[in-house]
Amino acid sequence: MKVQSHLFTILLLLNAAACASTTIGKPVEWPDPPEKPRVRFVTAFRTGDDLDTSGWAHFRRSLFGNSSVTMGQPMGVAVSDDGKRVYVADYGLSQVVVADLEHKSMRAFAPDEGLARPFNVAIGPDETVYVSDSAGRAVFLFDRDGKRLASFGRDDFDRPTGLAIDRAHGLLYVVDSAHHGSDKHRVLAFDLEGHKKFELGPKEGKGGVGSGDGQFYFPSYVTVDKNGLVYVGDTMNFRVEVFGPDGKYLRKFGEGGDGPGSFQRIKGMAFDSFGNLYVVDGGHANVQLFNKDAKVLMFFGGSAPKLEYFDVPSGIAIDARSNRIYVCNEYLARVNVYELINTSEADSISPPEPASKK
């Protein structure tokens, strides 16, 4: 943990030095020129001390050292409706942490609940917090203050991972990534109190493990669009599958590979306010953007020892009010923050010309 913390500090200093040695105010943006930039790196944080960069905070830390919780292996992330709090499921710390952007602090959320391996987090009405615990084989429901309200799923899951909430239909989707030899490679829908409703599957026939339409092989993350369509990262089938609000299979896109539109290891997924789908790929170490027709618009990130880039990105969340983007980075643990710029709904209709090179 100390080694990773020192590495993060070194990256932070190198990043600051690079900014100072180049044109003042020159941001890191994607795609590359001559295309119009669409995504800009804003900052990164690993501890509450990274959120407060004031002179007083630096002086206090010089006297007393860092005083905040430090991330270990962030896997999932969610943003409060008002955009002021970022909840991070930290697999390595065995807890959820909350970054309070308004008060520039970070704390453990529900620290006495004894979570085993929190994998993902989702925010429901009144800022209720849902946490999937992959080792505990359950989903936990907390109020905003960290008081446990319920837990459910121990009889249903082998390894719960991805979470997504459809507030319009009152549904919580839970991915069961399962294990080798298990037949529980699936996605279940619950109501917001934790009562099982249905399982996602093909229009006809049997779901479960496989590569057929509506089947899964190690699914991981899930997200829901404004119309209640459910997008599932079918990780080891190297594709995204789309289902209706009734749980029936509709379509799919993607394949294994290293070019635009292909996948190696699908991780988090989220939508921006224009309806574009962002798909994190831990193998590509980037985030690809797809429009409503599943056409690749661009990517950002990539593998590089710089704060703006990634080693293994995982969860993603987007503040729908501001289109601010939060992406977890697993190894050198942190959350990277980006913003969508120079973009309107019309820009999402077709891919840019010429297409961005990977």
Side-chain angles (χ1 to χ4, degrees), residues 176-306:
D176 192 347
S177 294
H179 302 279
H180 286 289
S182 170
D183 62 355
K184 290 186 178 180
H185 297 239
R186 58 186 184 170
V187 181
L188 298 176
F190 297 80
D191 65 24
L192 298 185
E193 287 73 45
H195 303 106
K196 186 164 60 175
K197 305 298 288 185
F198 56 84
E199 180 177 340
L200 301 191
K203 292 180 180 179
E204 298 177 356
K206 185 179 179 182
V209 184
S211 59
D213 293 346
Q215 295 183 314
F216 304 105
Y217 189 46
F218 289 101
S220 54
Y221 291 78
V222 59
T223 192
V224 181
D225 72 7
K226 294 178 180 178
N227 299 314
L229 299 185
V230 186
Y231 291 68
V232 180
D234 189 11
T235 301
M236 296 310 295
N237 280 324
F238 310 105
R239 64 189 183 183
V240 174
E241 291 196 278
V242 186
F243 299 81
D246 60 357
K248 299 302 182 183
Y249 170 84
L250 297 177
R251 60 183 183 272
K252 63 189 175 185
F253 62 92
E255 60 184 3
D258 58 6
S262 65
F263 303 113
Q264 286 188 10
R265 199 182 341 155
I266 296 175
K267 297 266 188 171
M269 299 188 298
F271 285 95
D272 65 22
S273 65
F274 302 116
N276 298 315
L277 177 66
Y278 294 56
V279 182
V280 179
D281 195 303
H284 292 173
N286 69 11
V287 181
Q288 294 188 82
L289 279 66
F290 296 84
N291 68 8
K292 296 175 183 178
D293 297 321
K295 303 298 183 183
V296 181
L297 297 173
M298 59 168 288
F299 78 92
F300 67 91
S303 181
K306 299 179 180 180

Side-chain angles (χ1 to χ4, degrees), residues 39-62:
V39 175
R40 175 185 294 153
F41 175 79
V42 178
T43 188
F45 60 89
R46 177 180 171 84
T47 75
D49 297 320
D50 300 317
L51 300 173
D52 189 350
T53 58
S54 66
W56 166 247
H58 282 296
F59 176 72
R60 186 185 66 243
R61 288 194 292 270
S62 69

Side-chain angles (χ1 to χ4, degrees), residues 143-162:
D143 67 15
R144 175 176 164 174
D145 297 322
K147 177 183 177 182
R148 188 197 294 195
L149 302 176
S151 64
F152 56 92
R154 283 191 173 87
D155 296 329
D156 297 305
F157 304 128
D158 276 356
R159 187 163 61 99
T161 53

